[in-house]
Amino acid sequence: MSERKLSGGSGKKKWVLGGIIALLVVLGGVYVGGYFIAGNQIPAKAEVEGVAIGGLSPAQAEEKLRAELGPEYAKPITMAATDGSVIEIPPLENGFVLDYEQAITDAGGGFSWNPVDIINVFNGGGPVELPKLVDQAAVKRAVEGQSDKFVTEAENATLAYVDGAIARTDSVNATRLDTDATTTAVVEAFETRELEIEPVLSESEPAVTTQKVDQAVDTFAGPAISGPVTITAGDGSFQVTPEQIAQVTTLAFDESGTFSHSIDGELLMELTEEARTEGLDLADAKDASYTLSGGTMTVVPATDGGTVEPEAVVAALDEALVKEGEARTAAVEIVPLPADFTTAEAEAAKPKEVIGEFTTNYPHAAYRNTNLGRAAATVNGSVLLPGDVFSLNDTLGPRTAENGYTDGYVINGGVLVRESGGGISQAATTLYNAGFFAGLEDVEHKPHSLYFSRYPAGREATIYYGSIDMKFRNDTQNPIYIQGYVNKSSSGSRGSITFKIWGTKEWDRIVSTELVRSDYYNGETRTVTSADCEPQAAIQGFTVTWSRLFYKGGEVAKKEDYRWKYSAGDQIVCG
């Protein structure tokens, strides 16, 4: 009985063991079948990022994925550059790779002994992501290649006074592309299929920022022109207006962005000259001079004046600029202003004698009496210290009716025409010759274009206000005094104009050589139909040469040669 029980149990065990073996064979077959199924066909429900690939072979699935997903991932990732352009980075050309094979494997396709993959096959598969491989170095190179499109240079904020008001601009930060951060953004955009990203920029401030300009405006530029500044001196005062303050004050920032200002003292004194003169009642220093009466030279005493130093005015203005209200006041001292040519100096160097003189005559004409008389009176009493230059144009000023002149004849284009101040060239010629024989340095003179017999040929001078002048320099060691006067003409008698130069002789005598004429020629006959035509006789042209000789110790110590060619004057017939 015991033996029967043992035999029965053994059979049952064999049966169980056989069942297990059979099951394992079946499962193994299924497992092997799953392996071969996956290797030839994708699970039915498999899809990669929305693209269904179930039932396809791995090769077919890859082809479909490339066709449908490839173009989407090939689209360039864009970002706006600071210069307004759009930068494109094609990802599949710059370090990004789509792993289609892995996507198919993840979806259950391809031969695999992995139990998870086998189970996935029998479950029908499901959605999976398309793996992306990224070469970070390649992506960074692509980003760096576009970095110059994102460069913005820094611009300093500016501050200045323009037309009496504050003018300013804001600063602009420098920008550079942060290539590391932008590379990361490009990678993330590729993975999330975003086609537009914001570039990551780094910024740096310029030396002069908007905030620094704000501070300069608040602490100085604004307060400085908030109202006038009163400058006092002695019992007087004058004001510097906000507009003048803006004109003379320069606002600046140095390379480090430090603010400063400066005041143009010369311009400040120029702009406030009238206000200073009226408000401070300062007298100008007046040099000693001379007056001639009855052949006696008398010294006109010098007078000292007073002034305020430009440096002191600038310092006073600067002190009050940032103050408010009544506090915008500062004081300066009045300093003596001595005359340059003192009374004692004038007495010691008093002109002793006539060192040069000349007289020319003129036919009777009312305009000559008027114009030459006015010129002689204006020049009379002029004093030139050693080194001074005399200008006849500057001394006479414009020859207008307001200045006492009347119409007379002048040469214009080789023709005599009437203009205000006509005839003044005779004063220029007479004074030129007085200076010539006084031995003074010839600075500027020009003979007439046509010759007139009342003048010494060549040794004469024309003058025209604003273009032609007659100048000489006092190159002696002492002051000179110019005396001028006219003897007016009358009906039937000629007039004359005389200039005498008083000084101290430095040469024994000064003479002119003979005025030698040569190369004569004639002009033409012309008919003029204008209403202001004046008939004119023909005037012969020629060349003249001469020399100025300076004698000392009985010998010629210095010689100056001259030459001039006169034009031929056409005969003018009024049509």
Side-chain angles (χ1 to χ4, degrees), residues 112-317:
S112 174
W113 293 110
N114 189 325
V116 174
D117 295 336
I118 299 300
I119 293 172
N120 188 38
V121 169
F122 287 105
N123 286 337
V128 298
E129 292 294 320
L130 177 60
K132 294 93 177 177
L133 305 179
V134 180
D135 182 345
Q136 288 276 356
V139 178
K140 185 175 182 179
R141 285 194 298 272
V143 171
E144 289 176 338
Q146 303 293 339
S147 61
D148 61 327
K149 304 296 195 308
F150 299 88
V151 174
T152 300
E153 298 301 333
E155 293 182 16
N156 284 324
T158 63
L159 177 62
Y161 289 128
V162 176
D163 296 332
I166 293 173
R168 54 170 298 169
T169 61
D170 291 334
S171 60
V172 175
N173 288 345
T175 61
R176 298 292 185 271
L177 186 67
D178 186 332
T179 55
D180 289 335
T182 303
T183 296
T184 300
V186 171
V187 171
E188 291 176 353
F190 180 76
E191 292 176 346
T192 58
R193 299 177 74 176
E194 293 181 20
L195 298 180
E196 185 176 344
I197 67 169
E198 290 292 330
V200 182
L201 303 177
S202 61
E203 296 189 354
S204 59
E205 293 182 335
V208 183
T209 63
T210 298
Q211 292 72 24
K212 289 183 178 181
V213 168
D214 289 341
Q215 183 179 18
V217 169
D218 293 340
T219 59
F220 181 82
I225 60 172
S226 62
V229 169
T230 301
I231 307 294
T232 63
D235 295 330
S237 67
F238 69 96
Q239 284 192 336
V240 186
T241 67
E243 292 76 17
Q244 291 171 336
I245 293 170
Q247 279 185 268
V248 302
T249 305
T250 299
L251 311 176
F253 290 87
D254 64 17
E255 292 182 355
S256 67
T258 301
F259 173 73
S260 64
H261 71 277
S262 60
I263 297 174
D264 186 334
E266 183 177 346
L267 180 58
L268 173 62
M269 299 302 281
E270 178 185 332
L271 295 177
T272 60
E273 181 177 3
E274 183 177 350
R276 285 199 325 277
T277 301
E278 295 178 359
L280 301 184
D281 194 25
L282 298 175
D284 289 332
K286 189 174 181 180
D287 289 341
S289 187
Y290 301 100
T291 183
L292 182 64
S293 178
T296 300
M297 190 74 65
T298 304
V299 172
V300 179
T303 57
D304 292 339
T307 188
V308 288
E309 297 290 351
E311 296 80 3
V313 177
V314 168
L317 176 64

Side-chain angles (χ1 to χ4, degrees), residues 1-13:
M1 183 172 157
S2 298
E3 291 179 355
R4 284 196 298 270
K5 287 182 180 179
L6 179 60
S7 176
S10 176
K12 186 175 183 180
K13 289 180 180 180

Side-chain angles (χ1 to χ4, degrees), residues 391-393 399 411 425 428 444-448 461-471:
S391 164
L392 188 56
N393 266 337
R399 270 72 81 184
I411 300 175
S425 287
E444 177 184 347
H445 93 279
K446 179 183 178 183
H448 288 80
T462 184
I463 187 171
Y464 200 87
Y465 190 77
S467 59
I468 304 173
D469 202 355
M470 193 283 293
K471 298 179 180 180

Side-chain angles (χ1 to χ4, degrees), residues 521-532:
Y521 66 104
N522 297 311
E524 300 176 350
T525 299
R526 289 192 288 146
T527 300
V528 177
T529 60
S530 61
D532 59 351

